[in-house]
Amino acid sequence: MIYDVCVIGGGPAGMFSAFYSASRRMNTVLIEGNHELGGRLNLFLDYEIYDIPGQFGVLARDYKRALIEQLKVSRSNLLLGEIVEKIENSDELFYVTTTQQTILAKTIIAATGNGFSEAKRIEHAQISKKIQYDQPAFKQYEGPIAVIGHTPMAADWAIQLMGYGNEVTLYTQQELKIQPILMDGLANNNILIYKFSEFNDQAYEAVFCHIGSKKYTIDFKGCIAQRDNGLTNCRGYFVAGEARYEQGKLKLIHGATHDAMQAVNAAFQYIHEGATYQPIVSTHDPIFKEWLK
Ligand SMILES: Cc1cc2nc3c(=O)[nH]c(=O)nc-3n(C[C@H](O)[C@H](O)[C@H](O)COP(=O)(O)OP(=O)(O)OC[C@H]3O[C@@H](n4cnc5c(N)ncnc54)[C@H](O)[C@@H]3O)c2cc1C
């Protein structure tokens, strides 16, 4: 099977790329290294987002759910839990090797955000089972809570958990590397900060840790100097979302989904030589009503 479009990354840019690509009648596969879609949205599921047009105060969790529902309507192929390790290209085809298989595609949309990463684990054999590396559920817990980490995310978790009436202590292995506004947040909430060497997990009902992430990079020699509009110097290889960089670009969801449409359009034009630049608007396209049947 040769796919028209292989989307790498299942964050907002990747999910919307796959949806939009399928709507342009391209046979599409989306590969996500995590076992769950959502990308960076998974880091702040219980936060409200205010800067997506028409979505004032939407919970990241709800926005993620809406993106997944929209993607699923398109019946794009999804490969979850497969990290793309290597890409090779020859004879106008891309060979995309994941941790489990090799996929063939005519085009690539790299929507890899900041790259595949996993939360760094803390080296502490006795307590490792108790430590949770995902975003905490923001609620009132029965007992005291510990947060471990020196990152802005760890500080933010501590402040948010305090806001739910919890007793929170922050433990750091190294100097806090956080913005003044977060430093003020810790001080204003009277959050106690101790060295990690003083940590004793017995005292806590739950322990959350954010000490940064371990990053994996894709081995691809065929590319890629990026140009404007998500185009690259490699024919058939396009970039969308946070992975796409250009002077002054904002790293926000709204732009990421706009990039996705541009990248899909570029892939469509690459596959269908001579296709007009402007796609048909969705209101005039019968495919969406067919999908909803
Ligand atoms: C705490 C926090 C709060 C934020 N608040 C806002 C906000 O209020 N408003 C806003 O607009 N934006 C906000 N953002 C930014 C927003 O989350 C990003 O702009 C958006 O997620 C970018 O989408 P993306 O799809 O480009 O990348 P990502 O969401 O990073 O998704 C990339 C995906 O690609 C996958 N991937 C990468 N490499 C590989 C590989 N080799 N193989 C397989 N999969 C791979 C990753 O696992 C990931 O799932 C916030 C971000 C954070 C962290």
Side-chain angles (χ1 to χ4, degrees), residues 8-14 31-34 38-40 43-44 49 51 82-84 111-116 153 218 240-242 251-254 256:
I8 308 173
I31 308 175
E32 167 56 51
N34 280 309
R40 220 95 49 89
L43 297 178
F44 55 101
I49 308 173
D51 49 6
E82 297 193 28
I83 303 167
V84 173
T112 46
N114 206 14
F116 180 77
M153 186 64 87
I218 301 177
E242 280 209 25
K251 296 184 170 180
L252 293 170
I253 294 161
H254 180 51

PDB file of all heavy atoms in Angstrom, residues 8-14 31-34 38-40 43-44 49 51 82-84 111-116 153 218 240-242 251-254 256, ligand 1:
ATOM      1  N   ILE A   8       3.051  12.806  10.164  1.00  0.00           N
ATOM      2  CA  ILE A   8       3.795  12.363  11.355  1.00  0.00           C
ATOM      3  C   ILE A   8       3.484  13.316  12.502  1.00  0.00           C
ATOM      4  O   ILE A   8       3.754  14.511  12.419  1.00  0.00           O
ATOM      5  CB  ILE A   8       5.314  12.329  11.099  1.00  0.00           C
ATOM      6  CG1 ILE A   8       5.619  11.523   9.832  1.00  0.00           C
ATOM      7  CG2 ILE A   8       6.039  11.720  12.304  1.00  0.00           C
ATOM      8  CD1 ILE A   8       7.080  11.571   9.412  1.00  0.00           C
ATOM      9  N   GLY A   9       2.874  12.763  13.547  1.00  0.00           N
ATOM     10  CA  GLY A   9       2.521  13.581  14.713  1.00  0.00           C
ATOM     11  C   GLY A   9       1.024  13.713  14.854  1.00  0.00           C
ATOM     12  O   GLY A   9       0.321  14.015  13.880  1.00  0.00           O
ATOM     13  N   GLY A  10       0.541  13.454  16.059  1.00  0.00           N
ATOM     14  CA  GLY A  10      -0.910  13.480  16.302  1.00  0.00           C
ATOM     15  C   GLY A  10      -1.322  14.571  17.258  1.00  0.00           C
ATOM     16  O   GLY A  10      -2.241  14.407  18.059  1.00  0.00           O
ATOM     17  N   GLY A  11      -0.626  15.735  17.180  1.00  0.00           N
ATOM     18  CA  GLY A  11      -1.066  16.917  17.926  1.00  0.00           C
ATOM     19  C   GLY A  11      -2.117  17.645  17.091  1.00  0.00           C
ATOM     20  O   GLY A  11      -2.605  17.105  16.082  1.00  0.00           O
ATOM     21  N   PRO A  12      -2.482  18.878  17.485  1.00  0.00           N
ATOM     22  CA  PRO A  12      -3.487  19.629  16.725  1.00  0.00           C
ATOM     23  C   PRO A  12      -3.136  19.735  15.233  1.00  0.00           C
ATOM     24  O   PRO A  12      -4.002  19.514  14.373  1.00  0.00           O
ATOM     25  CB  PRO A  12      -3.474  21.009  17.387  1.00  0.00           C
ATOM     26  CG  PRO A  12      -3.010  20.746  18.780  1.00  0.00           C
ATOM     27  CD  PRO A  12      -2.056  19.589  18.706  1.00  0.00           C
ATOM     28  N   ALA A  13      -1.876  20.022  14.900  1.00  0.00           N
ATOM     29  CA  ALA A  13      -1.497  20.182  13.489  1.00  0.00           C
ATOM     30  C   ALA A  13      -1.640  18.862  12.734  1.00  0.00           C
ATOM     31  O   ALA A  13      -2.172  18.825  11.619  1.00  0.00           O
ATOM     32  CB  ALA A  13      -0.065  20.707  13.378  1.00  0.00           C
ATOM     33  N   GLY A  14      -1.193  17.769  13.338  1.00  0.00           N
ATOM     34  CA  GLY A  14      -1.248  16.477  12.666  1.00  0.00           C
ATOM     35  C   GLY A  14      -2.671  15.969  12.519  1.00  0.00           C
ATOM     36  O   GLY A  14      -3.062  15.451  11.462  1.00  0.00           O
ATOM     37  N   ILE A  31       0.742   8.925  11.910  1.00  0.00           N
ATOM     38  CA  ILE A  31       1.551   8.128  12.843  1.00  0.00           C
ATOM     39  C   ILE A  31       1.859   8.979  14.079  1.00  0.00           C
ATOM     40  O   ILE A  31       2.368  10.103  13.953  1.00  0.00           O
ATOM     41  CB  ILE A  31       2.886   7.702  12.193  1.00  0.00           C
ATOM     42  CG1 ILE A  31       2.635   7.015  10.839  1.00  0.00           C
ATOM     43  CG2 ILE A  31       3.656   6.772  13.122  1.00  0.00           C
ATOM     44  CD1 ILE A  31       3.909   6.668  10.077  1.00  0.00           C
ATOM     45  N   GLU A  32       1.541   8.442  15.236  1.00  0.00           N
ATOM     46  CA  GLU A  32       1.818   9.150  16.496  1.00  0.00           C
ATOM     47  C   GLU A  32       2.617   8.238  17.420  1.00  0.00           C
ATOM     48  O   GLU A  32       2.255   7.079  17.627  1.00  0.00           O
ATOM     49  CB  GLU A  32       0.493   9.576  17.152  1.00  0.00           C
ATOM     50  CG  GLU A  32       0.609  10.030  18.600  1.00  0.00           C
ATOM     51  CD  GLU A  32       1.603  11.175  18.833  1.00  0.00           C
ATOM     52  OE1 GLU A  32       1.531  12.196  18.145  1.00  0.00           O
ATOM     53  OE2 GLU A  32       2.478  11.024  19.722  1.00  0.00           O
ATOM     54  N   GLY A  33       3.685   8.777  17.964  1.00  0.00           N
ATOM     55  CA  GLY A  33       4.555   7.989  18.837  1.00  0.00           C
ATOM     56  C   GLY A  33       3.916   7.602  20.157  1.00  0.00           C
ATOM     57  O   GLY A  33       4.200   6.543  20.714  1.00  0.00           O
ATOM     58  N   ASN A  34       3.057   8.464  20.664  1.00  0.00           N
ATOM     59  CA  ASN A  34       2.357   8.140  21.909  1.00  0.00           C
ATOM     60  C   ASN A  34       1.203   7.188  21.636  1.00  0.00           C
ATOM     61  O   ASN A  34       0.774   7.041  20.493  1.00  0.00           O
ATOM     62  CB  ASN A  34       1.785   9.411  22.541  1.00  0.00           C
ATOM     63  CG  ASN A  34       2.842  10.182  23.294  1.00  0.00           C
ATOM     64  OD1 ASN A  34       3.540   9.610  24.124  1.00  0.00           O
ATOM     65  ND2 ASN A  34       2.974  11.459  22.989  1.00  0.00           N
ATOM     66  N   GLY A  38      -3.320  13.924  20.567  1.00  0.00           N
ATOM     67  CA  GLY A  38      -3.466  15.158  21.354  1.00  0.00           C
ATOM     68  C   GLY A  38      -2.207  16.002  21.417  1.00  0.00           C
ATOM     69  O   GLY A  38      -2.267  17.195  21.637  1.00  0.00           O
ATOM     70  N   GLY A  39      -1.046  15.371  21.267  1.00  0.00           N
ATOM     71  CA  GLY A  39       0.202  16.132  21.308  1.00  0.00           C
ATOM     72  C   GLY A  39       0.336  16.887  22.612  1.00  0.00           C
ATOM     73  O   GLY A  39       0.014  16.370  23.688  1.00  0.00           O
ATOM     74  N   ARG A  40       0.762  18.138  22.494  1.00  0.00           N
ATOM     75  CA  ARG A  40       1.033  18.921  23.694  1.00  0.00           C
ATOM     76  C   ARG A  40      -0.241  19.249  24.481  1.00  0.00           C
ATOM     77  O   ARG A  40      -0.169  19.629  25.648  1.00  0.00           O
ATOM     78  CB  ARG A  40       1.746  20.210  23.302  1.00  0.00           C
ATOM     79  CG  ARG A  40       2.859  20.616  24.234  1.00  0.00           C
ATOM     80  CD  ARG A  40       4.233  20.177  23.817  1.00  0.00           C
ATOM     81  NE  ARG A  40       4.507  20.486  22.441  1.00  0.00           N
ATOM     82  CZ  ARG A  40       5.031  21.635  22.023  1.00  0.00           C
ATOM     83  NH1 ARG A  40       5.291  22.590  22.861  1.00  0.00           N
ATOM     84  NH2 ARG A  40       5.320  21.795  20.753  1.00  0.00           N
ATOM     85  N   LEU A  43      -0.634  17.877  27.871  1.00  0.00           N
ATOM     86  CA  LEU A  43       0.097  18.431  29.018  1.00  0.00           C
ATOM     87  C   LEU A  43      -0.758  19.391  29.837  1.00  0.00           C
ATOM     88  O   LEU A  43      -0.391  19.762  30.943  1.00  0.00           O
ATOM     89  CB  LEU A  43       1.355  19.182  28.543  1.00  0.00           C
ATOM     90  CG  LEU A  43       2.412  18.358  27.824  1.00  0.00           C
ATOM     91  CD1 LEU A  43       3.562  19.243  27.391  1.00  0.00           C
ATOM     92  CD2 LEU A  43       2.923  17.259  28.749  1.00  0.00           C
ATOM     93  N   PHE A  44      -1.874  19.846  29.258  1.00  0.00           N
ATOM     94  CA  PHE A  44      -2.681  20.808  30.034  1.00  0.00           C
ATOM     95  C   PHE A  44      -4.179  20.573  29.828  1.00  0.00           C
ATOM     96  O   PHE A  44      -4.953  21.489  29.664  1.00  0.00           O
ATOM     97  CB  PHE A  44      -2.271  22.259  29.712  1.00  0.00           C
ATOM     98  CG  PHE A  44      -2.319  22.643  28.251  1.00  0.00           C
ATOM     99  CD1 PHE A  44      -3.385  23.380  27.744  1.00  0.00           C
ATOM    100  CD2 PHE A  44      -1.298  22.306  27.388  1.00  0.00           C
ATOM    101  CE1 PHE A  44      -3.442  23.766  26.415  1.00  0.00           C
ATOM    102  CE2 PHE A  44      -1.342  22.674  26.048  1.00  0.00           C
ATOM    103  CZ  PHE A  44      -2.413  23.392  25.568  1.00  0.00           C
ATOM    104  N   ILE A  49      -8.477  27.204  27.453  1.00  0.00           N
ATOM    105  CA  ILE A  49      -7.748  27.933  26.401  1.00  0.00           C
ATOM    106  C   ILE A  49      -8.641  29.093  25.952  1.00  0.00           C
ATOM    107  O   ILE A  49      -9.846  28.909  25.759  1.00  0.00           O
ATOM    108  CB  ILE A  49      -7.460  27.002  25.201  1.00  0.00           C
ATOM    109  CG1 ILE A  49      -6.781  25.713  25.665  1.00  0.00           C
ATOM    110  CG2 ILE A  49      -6.597  27.707  24.161  1.00  0.00           C
ATOM    111  CD1 ILE A  49      -6.619  24.674  24.567  1.00  0.00           C
ATOM    112  N   ASP A  51      -7.533  31.525  23.409  1.00  0.00           N
ATOM    113  CA  ASP A  51      -7.112  32.231  22.192  1.00  0.00           C
ATOM    114  C   ASP A  51      -7.298  31.416  20.918  1.00  0.00           C
ATOM    115  O   ASP A  51      -6.565  31.575  19.961  1.00  0.00           O
ATOM    116  CB  ASP A  51      -5.659  32.721  22.330  1.00  0.00           C
ATOM    117  CG  ASP A  51      -4.706  31.633  22.807  1.00  0.00           C
ATOM    118  OD1 ASP A  51      -5.146  30.477  22.913  1.00  0.00           O
ATOM    119  OD2 ASP A  51      -3.536  31.943  23.056  1.00  0.00           O
ATOM    120  N   GLU A  82       3.671   4.312  17.663  1.00  0.00           N
ATOM    121  CA  GLU A  82       4.796   4.001  16.759  1.00  0.00           C
ATOM    122  C   GLU A  82       5.610   5.278  16.543  1.00  0.00           C
ATOM    123  O   GLU A  82       5.112   6.244  15.978  1.00  0.00           O
ATOM    124  CB  GLU A  82       4.285   3.496  15.404  1.00  0.00           C
ATOM    125  CG  GLU A  82       3.519   2.189  15.519  1.00  0.00           C
ATOM    126  CD  GLU A  82       3.289   1.519  14.172  1.00  0.00           C
ATOM    127  OE1 GLU A  82       4.097   1.717  13.247  1.00  0.00           O
ATOM    128  OE2 GLU A  82       2.277   0.803  14.063  1.00  0.00           O
ATOM    129  N   ILE A  83       6.837   5.239  16.992  1.00  0.00           N
ATOM    130  CA  ILE A  83       7.704   6.418  16.826  1.00  0.00           C
ATOM    131  C   ILE A  83       8.380   6.334  15.461  1.00  0.00           C
ATOM    132  O   ILE A  83       8.936   5.286  15.112  1.00  0.00           O
ATOM    133  CB  ILE A  83       8.785   6.450  17.926  1.00  0.00           C
ATOM    134  CG1 ILE A  83       8.128   6.440  19.316  1.00  0.00           C
ATOM    135  CG2 ILE A  83       9.690   7.668  17.777  1.00  0.00           C
ATOM    136  CD1 ILE A  83       9.103   6.167  20.444  1.00  0.00           C
ATOM    137  N   VAL A  84       8.312   7.397  14.691  1.00  0.00           N
ATOM    138  CA  VAL A  84       9.036   7.420  13.414  1.00  0.00           C
ATOM    139  C   VAL A  84      10.511   7.637  13.716  1.00  0.00           C
ATOM    140  O   VAL A  84      10.888   8.645  14.329  1.00  0.00           O
ATOM    141  CB  VAL A  84       8.493   8.526  12.485  1.00  0.00           C
ATOM    142  CG1 VAL A  84       9.360   8.648  11.242  1.00  0.00           C
ATOM    143  CG2 VAL A  84       7.048   8.229  12.122  1.00  0.00           C
ATOM    144  N   ALA A 111       4.313  16.980  11.266  1.00  0.00           N
ATOM    145  CA  ALA A 111       3.616  17.798  12.274  1.00  0.00           C
ATOM    146  C   ALA A 111       4.122  17.344  13.636  1.00  0.00           C
ATOM    147  O   ALA A 111       3.354  16.979  14.524  1.00  0.00           O
ATOM    148  CB  ALA A 111       2.103  17.630  12.137  1.00  0.00           C
ATOM    149  N   THR A 112       5.429  17.349  13.757  1.00  0.00           N
ATOM    150  CA  THR A 112       6.085  16.697  14.892  1.00  0.00           C
ATOM    151  C   THR A 112       6.295  17.631  16.087  1.00  0.00           C
ATOM    152  O   THR A 112       6.935  17.230  17.061  1.00  0.00           O
ATOM    153  CB  THR A 112       7.455  16.131  14.455  1.00  0.00           C
ATOM    154  OG1 THR A 112       8.120  17.144  13.693  1.00  0.00           O
ATOM    155  CG2 THR A 112       7.303  14.908  13.581  1.00  0.00           C
ATOM    156  N   GLY A 113       5.756  18.836  16.019  1.00  0.00           N
ATOM    157  CA  GLY A 113       5.894  19.764  17.154  1.00  0.00           C
ATOM    158  C   GLY A 113       7.350  19.929  17.512  1.00  0.00           C
ATOM    159  O   GLY A 113       8.207  20.196  16.674  1.00  0.00           O
ATOM    160  N   ASN A 114       7.608  19.693  18.763  1.00  0.00           N
ATOM    161  CA  ASN A 114       8.966  19.835  19.269  1.00  0.00           C
ATOM    162  C   ASN A 114       9.706  18.504  19.224  1.00  0.00           C
ATOM    163  O   ASN A 114      10.707  18.315  19.897  1.00  0.00           O
ATOM    164  CB  ASN A 114       8.848  20.344  20.714  1.00  0.00           C
ATOM    165  CG  ASN A 114      10.061  21.106  21.134  1.00  0.00           C
ATOM    166  OD1 ASN A 114      10.870  21.483  20.285  1.00  0.00           O
ATOM    167  ND2 ASN A 114      10.213  21.294  22.412  1.00  0.00           N
ATOM    168  N   GLY A 115       9.180  17.542  18.464  1.00  0.00           N
ATOM    169  CA  GLY A 115       9.785  16.205  18.404  1.00  0.00           C
ATOM    170  C   GLY A 115       9.136  15.269  19.392  1.00  0.00           C
ATOM    171  O   GLY A 115       8.502  15.723  20.349  1.00  0.00           O
ATOM    172  N   PHE A 116       9.288  13.960  19.164  1.00  0.00           N
ATOM    173  CA  PHE A 116       8.715  13.002  20.110  1.00  0.00           C
ATOM    174  C   PHE A 116       9.534  13.047  21.398  1.00  0.00           C
ATOM    175  O   PHE A 116      10.756  12.999  21.379  1.00  0.00           O
ATOM    176  CB  PHE A 116       8.731  11.574  19.550  1.00  0.00           C
ATOM    177  CG  PHE A 116       8.147  10.590  20.510  1.00  0.00           C
ATOM    178  CD1 PHE A 116       6.781  10.491  20.679  1.00  0.00           C
ATOM    179  CD2 PHE A 116       8.967   9.797  21.290  1.00  0.00           C
ATOM    180  CE1 PHE A 116       6.227   9.611  21.591  1.00  0.00           C
ATOM    181  CE2 PHE A 116       8.433   8.905  22.208  1.00  0.00           C
ATOM    182  CZ  PHE A 116       7.058   8.806  22.356  1.00  0.00           C
ATOM    183  N   MET A 153       6.618  23.935  34.275  1.00  0.00           N
ATOM    184  CA  MET A 153       5.458  23.046  34.369  1.00  0.00           C
ATOM    185  C   MET A 153       5.278  22.555  35.805  1.00  0.00           C
ATOM    186  O   MET A 153       4.165  22.536  36.338  1.00  0.00           O
ATOM    187  CB  MET A 153       5.655  21.859  33.414  1.00  0.00           C
ATOM    188  CG  MET A 153       4.464  20.949  33.322  1.00  0.00           C
ATOM    189  SD  MET A 153       3.040  21.784  32.640  1.00  0.00           S
ATOM    190  CE  MET A 153       3.330  21.533  30.917  1.00  0.00           C
ATOM    191  N   ILE A 218      14.293  12.283  14.338  1.00  0.00           N
ATOM    192  CA  ILE A 218      14.110  11.416  13.172  1.00  0.00           C
ATOM    193  C   ILE A 218      15.374  11.494  12.313  1.00  0.00           C
ATOM    194  O   ILE A 218      15.878  12.585  12.037  1.00  0.00           O
ATOM    195  CB  ILE A 218      12.897  11.859  12.336  1.00  0.00           C
ATOM    196  CG1 ILE A 218      11.621  11.819  13.190  1.00  0.00           C
ATOM    197  CG2 ILE A 218      12.740  10.973  11.103  1.00  0.00           C
ATOM    198  CD1 ILE A 218      10.381  12.300  12.482  1.00  0.00           C
ATOM    199  N   ALA A 240       4.113  21.317   9.200  1.00  0.00           N
ATOM    200  CA  ALA A 240       2.975  22.070   9.754  1.00  0.00           C
ATOM    201  C   ALA A 240       3.080  22.153  11.270  1.00  0.00           C
ATOM    202  O   ALA A 240       3.634  21.269  11.919  1.00  0.00           O
ATOM    203  CB  ALA A 240       1.664  21.385   9.366  1.00  0.00           C
ATOM    204  N   GLY A 241       2.505  23.212  11.821  1.00  0.00           N
ATOM    205  CA  GLY A 241       2.429  23.357  13.285  1.00  0.00           C
ATOM    206  C   GLY A 241       3.743  23.860  13.852  1.00  0.00           C
ATOM    207  O   GLY A 241       4.514  24.544  13.188  1.00  0.00           O
ATOM    208  N   GLU A 242       3.979  23.472  15.083  1.00  0.00           N
ATOM    209  CA  GLU A 242       5.163  24.014  15.772  1.00  0.00           C
ATOM    210  C   GLU A 242       6.470  23.573  15.144  1.00  0.00           C
ATOM    211  O   GLU A 242       7.500  24.201  15.341  1.00  0.00           O
ATOM    212  CB  GLU A 242       5.125  23.611  17.245  1.00  0.00           C
ATOM    213  CG  GLU A 242       4.205  24.511  18.008  1.00  0.00           C
ATOM    214  CD  GLU A 242       4.600  24.658  19.466  1.00  0.00           C
ATOM    215  OE1 GLU A 242       5.769  24.480  19.820  1.00  0.00           O
ATOM    216  OE2 GLU A 242       3.690  24.963  20.232  1.00  0.00           O
ATOM    217  N   LYS A 251       3.828  30.193  18.342  1.00  0.00           N
ATOM    218  CA  LYS A 251       3.661  28.755  18.561  1.00  0.00           C
ATOM    219  C   LYS A 251       2.332  28.511  19.253  1.00  0.00           C
ATOM    220  O   LYS A 251       2.260  28.273  20.463  1.00  0.00           O
ATOM    221  CB  LYS A 251       4.823  28.225  19.395  1.00  0.00           C
ATOM    222  CG  LYS A 251       6.131  28.359  18.647  1.00  0.00           C
ATOM    223  CD  LYS A 251       7.264  27.759  19.409  1.00  0.00           C
ATOM    224  CE  LYS A 251       8.491  27.693  18.520  1.00  0.00           C
ATOM    225  NZ  LYS A 251       9.633  27.120  19.208  1.00  0.00           N
ATOM    226  N   LEU A 252       1.268  28.620  18.473  1.00  0.00           N
ATOM    227  CA  LEU A 252      -0.082  28.519  19.031  1.00  0.00           C
ATOM    228  C   LEU A 252      -0.936  27.583  18.172  1.00  0.00           C
ATOM    229  O   LEU A 252      -0.638  27.328  17.002  1.00  0.00           O
ATOM    230  CB  LEU A 252      -0.729  29.907  19.082  1.00  0.00           C
ATOM    231  CG  LEU A 252      -0.095  30.901  20.067  1.00  0.00           C
ATOM    232  CD1 LEU A 252      -0.658  32.295  19.867  1.00  0.00           C
ATOM    233  CD2 LEU A 252      -0.289  30.445  21.511  1.00  0.00           C
ATOM    234  N   ILE A 253      -2.024  27.099  18.789  1.00  0.00           N
ATOM    235  CA  ILE A 253      -2.868  26.097  18.145  1.00  0.00           C
ATOM    236  C   ILE A 253      -3.508  26.629  16.856  1.00  0.00           C
ATOM    237  O   ILE A 253      -3.551  25.938  15.842  1.00  0.00           O
ATOM    238  CB  ILE A 253      -3.971  25.642  19.130  1.00  0.00           C
ATOM    239  CG1 ILE A 253      -3.334  24.906  20.305  1.00  0.00           C
ATOM    240  CG2 ILE A 253      -5.018  24.788  18.441  1.00  0.00           C
ATOM    241  CD1 ILE A 253      -4.221  24.804  21.521  1.00  0.00           C
ATOM    242  N   HIS A 254      -4.011  27.853  16.921  1.00  0.00           N
ATOM    243  CA  HIS A 254      -4.720  28.391  15.757  1.00  0.00           C
ATOM    244  C   HIS A 254      -3.826  28.370  14.516  1.00  0.00           C
ATOM    245  O   HIS A 254      -4.235  27.930  13.437  1.00  0.00           O
ATOM    246  CB  HIS A 254      -5.184  29.814  16.065  1.00  0.00           C
ATOM    247  CG  HIS A 254      -5.916  30.447  14.938  1.00  0.00           C
ATOM    248  ND1 HIS A 254      -6.973  29.831  14.302  1.00  0.00           N
ATOM    249  CD2 HIS A 254      -5.730  31.627  14.300  1.00  0.00           C
ATOM    250  CE1 HIS A 254      -7.404  30.623  13.332  1.00  0.00           C
ATOM    251  NE2 HIS A 254      -6.672  31.699  13.309  1.00  0.00           N
ATOM    252  N   ALA A 256      -1.222  26.497  14.092  1.00  0.00           N
ATOM    253  CA  ALA A 256      -0.857  25.110  13.758  1.00  0.00           C
ATOM    254  C   ALA A 256      -1.906  24.484  12.829  1.00  0.00           C
ATOM    255  O   ALA A 256      -1.561  23.777  11.876  1.00  0.00           O
ATOM    256  CB  ALA A 256      -0.728  24.283  15.037  1.00  0.00           C
TER     257      ALA A 256
HETATM  258  C1  LIG B   1       1.364  24.157  29.149  1.00  0.00           C
HETATM  259  C2  LIG B   1       1.023  24.625  27.757  1.00  0.00           C
HETATM  260  C3  LIG B   1       0.004  25.540  27.581  1.00  0.00           C
HETATM  261  C4  LIG B   1      -0.332  25.977  26.289  1.00  0.00           C
HETATM  262  N1  LIG B   1      -1.353  26.886  26.138  1.00  0.00           N
HETATM  263  C5  LIG B   1      -1.714  27.267  24.891  1.00  0.00           C
HETATM  264  C6  LIG B   1      -2.780  28.203  24.696  1.00  0.00           C
HETATM  265  O1  LIG B   1      -3.384  28.710  25.651  1.00  0.00           O
HETATM  266  N2  LIG B   1      -3.113  28.530  23.406  1.00  0.00           N
HETATM  267  C7  LIG B   1      -2.465  28.004  22.317  1.00  0.00           C
HETATM  268  O2  LIG B   1      -2.838  28.320  21.187  1.00  0.00           O
HETATM  269  N3  LIG B   1      -1.442  27.154  22.481  1.00  0.00           N
HETATM  270  C8  LIG B   1      -1.050  26.788  23.735  1.00  0.00           C
HETATM  271  N4  LIG B   1       0.007  25.934  23.896  1.00  0.00           N
HETATM  272  C9  LIG B   1       0.774  25.537  22.697  1.00  0.00           C
HETATM  273  C10 LIG B   1       0.074  24.411  21.935  1.00  0.00           C
HETATM  274  O3  LIG B   1      -0.055  23.287  22.773  1.00  0.00           O
HETATM  275  C11 LIG B   1       0.915  24.076  20.707  1.00  0.00           C
HETATM  276  O4  LIG B   1       1.003  25.234  19.891  1.00  0.00           O
HETATM  277  C12 LIG B   1       0.285  22.959  19.879  1.00  0.00           C
HETATM  278  O5  LIG B   1       0.103  21.795  20.649  1.00  0.00           O
HETATM  279  C13 LIG B   1       1.194  22.656  18.679  1.00  0.00           C
HETATM  280  O6  LIG B   1       0.612  21.628  17.950  1.00  0.00           O
HETATM  281  P1  LIG B   1       1.481  20.678  17.011  1.00  0.00           P
HETATM  282  O7  LIG B   1       0.524  19.659  16.501  1.00  0.00           O
HETATM  283  O8  LIG B   1       2.269  21.465  16.066  1.00  0.00           O
HETATM  284  O9  LIG B   1       2.566  20.000  17.992  1.00  0.00           O
HETATM  285  P2  LIG B   1       2.381  19.059  19.266  1.00  0.00           P
HETATM  286  O10 LIG B   1       1.127  19.370  19.990  1.00  0.00           O
HETATM  287  O11 LIG B   1       3.666  19.166  19.989  1.00  0.00           O
HETATM  288  O12 LIG B   1       2.243  17.598  18.646  1.00  0.00           O
HETATM  289  C14 LIG B   1       3.328  16.956  18.021  1.00  0.00           C
HETATM  290  C15 LIG B   1       3.080  15.456  18.074  1.00  0.00           C
HETATM  291  O13 LIG B   1       4.036  14.799  17.249  1.00  0.00           O
HETATM  292  C16 LIG B   1       4.441  13.605  17.879  1.00  0.00           C
HETATM  293  N5  LIG B   1       5.755  13.235  17.361  1.00  0.00           N
HETATM  294  C17 LIG B   1       6.874  13.988  17.328  1.00  0.00           C
HETATM  295  N6  LIG B   1       7.894  13.322  16.777  1.00  0.00           N
HETATM  296  C18 LIG B   1       7.399  12.091  16.437  1.00  0.00           C
HETATM  297  C19 LIG B   1       7.979  10.926  15.849  1.00  0.00           C
HETATM  298  N7  LIG B   1       9.264  10.889  15.497  1.00  0.00           N
HETATM  299  N8  LIG B   1       7.196   9.844  15.661  1.00  0.00           N
HETATM  300  C20 LIG B   1       5.877   9.861  16.025  1.00  0.00           C
HETATM  301  N9  LIG B   1       5.284  10.940  16.609  1.00  0.00           N
HETATM  302  C21 LIG B   1       6.042  12.025  16.806  1.00  0.00           C
HETATM  303  C22 LIG B   1       4.486  13.981  19.362  1.00  0.00           C
HETATM  304  O14 LIG B   1       4.398  12.830  20.187  1.00  0.00           O
HETATM  305  C23 LIG B   1       3.245  14.880  19.484  1.00  0.00           C
HETATM  306  O15 LIG B   1       2.099  14.139  19.827  1.00  0.00           O
HETATM  307  C24 LIG B   1       0.373  25.483  25.165  1.00  0.00           C
HETATM  308  C25 LIG B   1       1.390  24.537  25.349  1.00  0.00           C
HETATM  309  C26 LIG B   1       1.720  24.126  26.619  1.00  0.00           C
HETATM  310  C27 LIG B   1       2.822  23.100  26.788  1.00  0.00           C
END
